[in-house]
Amino acid sequence: MGSRFKQHRISGGIGGDDRFWEALEDGELRLCRCGSCGAWQWPAHFRCGRCGSWEHDWPLVEPVGTVYSWTRTHMAFPRTTARAESVPYVVLLVEVDGTDGARLHGVLEGPADALAIGARVRGTIHPPADESLGYPSLRWALETAEVSR
Ligand SMILES: [Zn+2]
């Protein structure tokens, strides 16, 4: 059986990040790194932009980082109607530690009181769901906040 996200894939993609989604669906965060020169490749590519190698590794990455940017959504847009019950919600763009600045999006869980650019966050991986359009998701929580589940 294939990965569930592939049944919901947005058409037109080249699949360079399939390994990321497969790993996330297995509960792991893995990002693309050149197997020759070691440069992080995010967004993922098939060929290294630094050295031209086609060889890539997908090392495990701890889901921790700092808030690079964020936005609060106050309405459910046509492709996000499954999130209608959650509005308003906050989506973070997080710079992941140890990846030379790879940035990942994810919804903020828990209180947003201490939310700020540069705040420390920790991610948790969630299985594919309707609210994430059939993809697994990474959700972030402020490291100072208690997350109620
Ligand atoms: Zn390279």
Side-chain angles (χ1 to χ4, degrees):
M1 187 173 142
S3 300
R4 184 172 165 205
F5 80 88
K6 289 182 179 174
Q7 300 164 22
H8 304 274
R9 186 194 311 252
I10 297 168
S11 64
I14 61 171
D17 57 1
D18 277 4
R19 188 74 187 87
F20 167 79
W21 294 110
E22 289 165 358
L24 208 60
E25 201 164 312
D26 290 339
E28 297 177 335
L29 177 59
R30 292 183 180 271
L31 293 178
C32 185
R33 189 172 198 180
C34 177
S36 180
C37 76
W40 291 95
Q41 308 284 308
W42 197 255
H45 303 285
F46 290 108
R47 191 164 190 197
C48 178
R50 184 196 284 171
C51 77
S53 172
W54 294 86
E55 300 299 319
H56 289 88
D57 300 322
W58 288 83
L60 273 173
V61 175
E62 190 176 4
V64 293
T66 57
V67 175
Y68 181 82
S69 184
W70 60 273
T71 187
R72 181 171 282 120
T73 298
H74 292 275
M75 65 174 281
F77 293 96
R79 295 235 339 131
T80 62
T81 53
R83 287 199 170 278
E85 301 289 320
S86 305
V87 291
Y89 60 89
V90 173
V91 174
L92 306 180
L93 181 59
V94 173
E95 206 162 81
V96 180
D97 288 0
T99 62
D100 289 338
R103 297 177 193 145
L104 296 175
H105 283 107
V107 171
L108 176 69
E109 287 187 309
D113 302 350
L115 179 59
I117 305 298
R120 297 290 299 163
V121 291
R122 176 170 290 277
T124 54
I125 298 168
H126 296 260
D130 290 343
E131 66 181 10
S132 55
L133 302 178
Y135 279 74
S137 62
L138 189 57
R139 298 182 197 162
W140 301 102
L142 293 164
E143 284 200 320
T144 56
E146 290 286 323
V147 177
S148 58
R149 294 178 188 260

